[in-house]
Amino acid sequence: MYTAEFAYKKASSLAEALQLLQQHPEAKLLAGGHSLIPAMKLRLAAPPTLIDIAKVPELREVRLEGNTLVIGAMATYYEVETHPQVRQAAPILPMAIELIGDPMVRAKGTIGGSLAHADPAADLPAVMLALGARMKVVGPSGERVVEAERFFKGMFETDLGEGEILSEIHVPANAGKQAYAKFPHPASRYAVVGVAVVIGPEGVRAAVTGAGSHAMRLTKLEQALAGQPLTREAIEAACQGLLPPNDLNHDLVASRVYRAHLVDVIAKRALLQAAGL
Amino acid sequence: MAEKLFGKAMKRVEDPRFITGTGTYTDDMTLPGMAEAAMVRSPYAHARIKKIDASKALAHPGVLAVITGQEMKEAGINSIPTGWLHPGIKTPPHYPITFDKARHVGDIVAAVVAENRQIAEDAAQMVEVEYEPLPAVSLGSEALKPGAPAVHDDIPDNICFTWSIGDKEAVDKAFASAHKTVKLKLRNNRLVPNAMEPRASLAQYHKASDEYTLWTTSQNPHIHRLLIAAFIMGIPEHKLRVIAPDVGGGFGSKIYQYPEEIIVLYAAKKLGRPVKWTARRSESFVTDSHGRDHETVAEMAVDQNGKITAVRVETIANMGAYLTTFAPAVPTYLYGCLLAGPYTTPHIYCHVTAPFTHTTPVDAYRGAGRPEATYLLERLADVMAHELDMDPVEFRRKNLIPPEAFPYQTPVALQYDSGNYEAALDKALEMVGYQKLRQEQAEWRKQGRYMGIGVATYIEACGLAPSALVGSLGAQAGQWESALVRVMPTGKVEVFTGTHSHGQGHETAFAQVVADELQIPVEDVSIVHGDTGRMPYGWGSYGSRSAPTGLSAIVLATRKIVDKAKRIAAHLLEAAPEDIVHEDGKFMVKGVPDKAKTFFEIALQAHLAHNYPADLEPGLEATHFYDPKNFVYPFGTHIAVVEVDPETGRVKLLRYLSVDDCGPVINPLIAEGQVHGGIAQGLGQALLEEAVYDAEGQILSGNFLEYAIPRADDLVQIEHDHTVTPCPHNPLGIKGIGEAGTIASTAAVANAVMDALRPFGIVHLDMPYTPQKVWQAIHSARKLGQAAD
Amino acid sequence: MAEKVRIKLTVNGVVHGSEVEPRLLLVHYLREHLGLTGTHVGCDTSQCGACTVHVDGQAVKSCTMFAVQADGASVTTIEGLGSPGHLHPVQEGFWEMHGLQCGFCTPGMIMAAADLLNKNPNPSEAEIRHALEGNLCRCTGYHNIIRAVQYAAGKMAQRSAADD
Ligand SMILES: Cc1cc2nc3c(=O)[nH]c(=O)nc-3n(C[C@H](O)[C@H](O)[C@H](O)COP(=O)(O)OP(=O)(O)OC[C@H]3O[C@@H](n4cnc5c(N)ncnc54)[C@H](O)[C@@H]3O)c2cc1C
Ligand code: FES
Ligand code: FES
């Protein structure tokens, strides 16, 4: 029930957070704590220092900048889910967030925390891939912006380097018709398979979570649908054998073969919903 | 006349404390000077303990003691006994802390006591245990194979006991001459009870008087006191007080005598300080006794008319690593004896083999044996009906015991007291609109949608227990119940019961009945339970015994009070006791309404007693020990309607409906609540829950991230009604309702899922019907179908 | 031992200043330091919701939050929601509709339900079921919990209509 001991530092600005990270290289950032604290309670993680960035004002803002929705990394699920501009500009976000955990989880968990954690069964990484979002990262050597594609690298592994903080997520506003469909784990309710699709002017972007070591684009699907009218038949035909089972996760709930099948089914459902069919 | 409260949906009197967060559960308690304990548990299912080095833990600031099994054994702490013996049963020792070998993941190897829980948990990780891991076995049938690793060295074949009931020869004959037979291989999945309150125990030792007090999460504090005092610690019973304060659900898992209770008692004396231990949920998963876990071959035979002629059952019932308090009773008397179900089956034979395995002990979980029996019978009934090309309802109707057959003697020891099974079935069918639903199902199928309708008709034997009967069956104790009713000088009444309420609402339902019997306001009645220091001996609550057995004792004690009150009234009114009537809340001389005394006046005079005649004892209290003449036999019909998504294999519950008969209902709010909760648990078994072990004996679903219990969105509002067939042999005619929901719902949901899968030619799948399993079955069936085309 | 941290927070309207170990979970702070044992612990994986309290007006799982994270916050526990005689409509609903049996999940369930009704005063049955996904109850089968929340929603609507 108890975590190991740790020292607690609270940052009140982004600059202070960066400085604290410099001083405590072995520290972990604490955002909503809803991935980190459960892991610490089970003593799967025992960071000697936590730097709490949840209340850093610069990291909490959600705003529309031209055609980009800027989401502060420390905005909570709840704040984003209920934000009127988000609902307008990127309806897939509230749609996916509604299916994350439960209201208490959504009250504390943050968008940035989820993306930085890169849990292979987390929902938002797939959504960000489908949206073509970009991650703004600040670190000792300044700022950089990373495409979602390049951000998720492996199981719990991102492009974030030592001393770096994910500060903002830049989401293209009004990217097209969009939907997220999820097959939840019966116990944990994380995604066994979740598929996000955005039907934009350039075609379909689709991404899957839960299937492999990290969220990934469903390129085969995107290609199969390229240049095609999105009819039910076309969608059904395209959603076949999207991922080879051999590379997929497997656990008590879903074998590789079943998971591969679920990817096809959930992708189809997300597409049908996005296309309004 | 005061309003009669029997049958009234009264709000519960216990609720104000719970809805305001002021209940007192064991872990809520803190005593001055209290230390806290954490357990060092084996990470291996089977390992020899070679060495325990506690030096680092002992050196950790705040650590008070590290206790080992060796130390407790040397201090004279004995093994934990089991309470139900079969001829030839093996009862290997179960020491609170093991010292030779660990026999399941979670087996306690040492206990750390420290100033607080944090320190205890930190230090528990510092205790260095050198293990020699040994091969383990987790599945019952595997444990029975030659060469399987032995759980206990002196039981090389792992067989705890074998047991059988019924006339094998007659059954074999019936099968040989049957019109049709069906055979199913079934696995009744292992479940983790998961009462929402994790177990906790707090012990205090009073040096001056050499007395102990134990607060613990228990359904039956008296059983703990008996087992601990007489068998485990060898202390005088009156030197141990066991209190079960508010308890957050039990479902069987809080019946048993657990090691941690002994450890905190021992530590409290050793340290001279109160010691508390509270389980973390992941500890609960590996230490609370599990439920079910059967591997069974079940067969049914019928004649040309579709009448069941015989049932034959061979079961392997996994006992886990040690025998807990009631374990041997569950897959035998509570299972084999129930295999007639509600049917007129003339010949039944059941043979059970119970092996030890390197897993958490298995004992009673809500329903205990009866859900297993019902599941098996109801699956057989559906498969047979299909074989006979009959509607499953018609098959059941043909075989139900008719109302005029009661009392009905089954071929497996029980005599059913009363019943009208077809009436409950008809009511359920009408409520659900059965014919229409079947038509709808046919239409859905044309559209490629798979609705399933599952019916389960059930009976259960509960109200544990007629002592002589269970004694003859192997119980080492009768299971009568006691009650003490104490009227105070002000006319307020305290009722002490040996049963225990951990959600069942006894404080309300029992008070309703007592208020009726004494014709006093219900606010004047207080039900006291869960404290061996306050009430006579009792056996606690499980097996739906509290109302039929516990309340019967209360009613009979209350009637003694009324008798005595009449005699007091007669004295006060200068009349003959025979002339006193108890009406409108008064004791009056028959036909002379102004010659009357109120209950208050009598209670006061009973205590003032200054001008009593010589033959009248002062005071007004009565004790009654009630031993039921028979079990009680609730029954009913449950119907589940589900939809299976063939693409994902996911099962969705569309409707659930139950008609139950538990005799007259004391408080419909409470009775229905019991049914709802039971149904949810049964549905959990059918769709979600399974304690999965790997071949090495590691549990793979050992927390709520992996083990799914039903959540709000897994269920629907339940449609419920009842019929009333009184029990002929207890004072109120009541039966039990605590387990009915669980007993019937697993079978109803299972039958519904299988009904939905019928178009694919799928005859049987084992629970739980997880999406993967259902999809896999559909997928294979389709492939087969394609191959055939 | 890690350095203790000073925190100041308001719990049920009362301001508390304490020195706590950073690893102290909010739930243990409430139970062990403040004696508010109405908030329960039912699991160690953040799944059961027995520990639900309101922090700055929103339901959270107090087992998945350190007390230090609540520094400066206003916390409401079941003890502060309402009291006998002055029950919150959700508490009243649970009593009226028999929304509890053993009572262990109840404080968390009530706090989650109150949060739902703050956010959505007139939820459908499906919305109630979805909103209570993070609260496990092993006793009631949720049937009467749903009715309790519906009762409370009705009651609150009546009250606000009366206020208008
Ligand atoms: C009961 C429960 C159910 C859940 N169900 C789901 C679900 O269905 N779907 C789902 O997707 N998730 C689910 N989650 C996880 C939840 O969404 C987490 O909140 C989220 O994954 C992490 O966000 P956080 O803000 O809580 O991050 P934290 O737990 O605080 O941090 C997570 C990790 O990210 C690092 N980090 C945090 N912020 C930054 C930053 N700005 N820059 C760099 N590194 C950073 C931290 O150091 C830490 O290593 C569930 C959690 C719980 C407890
Ligand atoms: S205690 Fe279970 S979620 Fe907090
Ligand atoms: S009332 Fe017992 S867990 Fe909900």
Side-chain angles (χ1 to χ4, degrees), chain A residues 41, chain C residues 40-51 61-64 134:
Chain A
K41 280 166 68 176
Chain C
H40 297 151
V41 178
C43 74
D44 48 8
T45 53
S46 308
Q47 299 286 319
C48 78
C51 61
K61 292 178 171 173
S62 62
C63 73
T64 314

Side-chain angles (χ1 to χ4, degrees), chain B residues 12 25 122 282 711-712 717, chain C residues 23 44 101-102 129 133:
Chain B
R12 298 200 317 173
Y25 299 89
D122 288 345
S282 35
R711 302 190 189 226
Q717 291 302 84
Chain C
R23 67 166 164 168
D44 48 8
Q101 290 179 26
C102 79
R129 290 187 182 277
E133 242 190 87

Side-chain angles (χ1 to χ4, degrees), chain A residues 187 255 258 261 268-269, chain B residues 122 645 647-648 711 772 775:
Chain A
S255 66
Y258 177 55
H261 167 74
K268 178 180 82 181
R269 291 183 181 181
Chain B
D122 288 345
D645 174 352
E647 273 190 333
T648 61
R711 302 190 189 226
Q772 169 163 256
W775 173 79

Side-chain angles (χ1 to χ4, degrees), chain C:
Chain C
M1 194 185 280
E3 206 177 314
K4 289 199 172 179
V5 176
R6 261 212 87 70
I7 58 169
K8 194 170 149 191
L9 68 172
T10 309
V11 180
N12 299 332
V14 181
V15 178
H16 294 270
S18 306
E19 290 241 316
V20 298
E21 256 195 274
R23 67 166 164 168
L24 183 70
L25 295 167
L26 179 60
V27 67
H28 293 305
Y29 176 71
L30 296 170
R31 289 176 58 80
E32 288 157 22
H33 290 235
L34 304 187
L36 294 169
T37 55
T39 303
H40 297 151
V41 178
C43 74
D44 48 8
T45 53
S46 308
Q47 299 286 319
C48 78
C51 61
T52 304
V53 302
H54 294 183
V55 173
D56 291 331
Q58 251 197 318
V60 301
K61 292 178 171 173
S62 62
C63 73
T64 314
M65 185 171 171
F66 298 114
V68 290
Q69 289 173 282
D71 183 27
S74 171
V75 177
T76 307
T77 69
I78 185 72
E79 290 93 340
L81 192 69
S83 55
H86 303 277
L87 293 177
H88 183 280
V90 175
Q91 289 171 312
E92 201 182 306
F94 272 71
W95 195 10
E96 290 291 332
M97 294 293 130
H98 188 37
L100 62 148
Q101 290 179 26
C102 79
F104 194 79
C105 73
T106 310
M109 201 64 88
I110 288 177
M111 296 312 282
D115 180 60
L116 163 67
L117 295 181
N118 287 340
K119 293 171 177 168
N120 178 1
N122 189 19
S124 66
E125 184 194 322
E127 285 170 331
I128 299 172
R129 290 187 182 277
H130 182 60
L132 296 180
E133 242 190 87
N135 294 80
L136 298 175
C137 174
R138 196 59 155 163
C139 295
T140 63
Y142 305 97
H143 181 104
N144 285 336
I145 291 178
I146 306 299
R147 291 173 67 226
V149 179
Q150 288 166 337
Y151 173 98
K155 196 83 191 200
M156 285 161 84
Q158 268 175 27
R159 277 196 198 169
S160 60
D163 290 346
D164 289 343

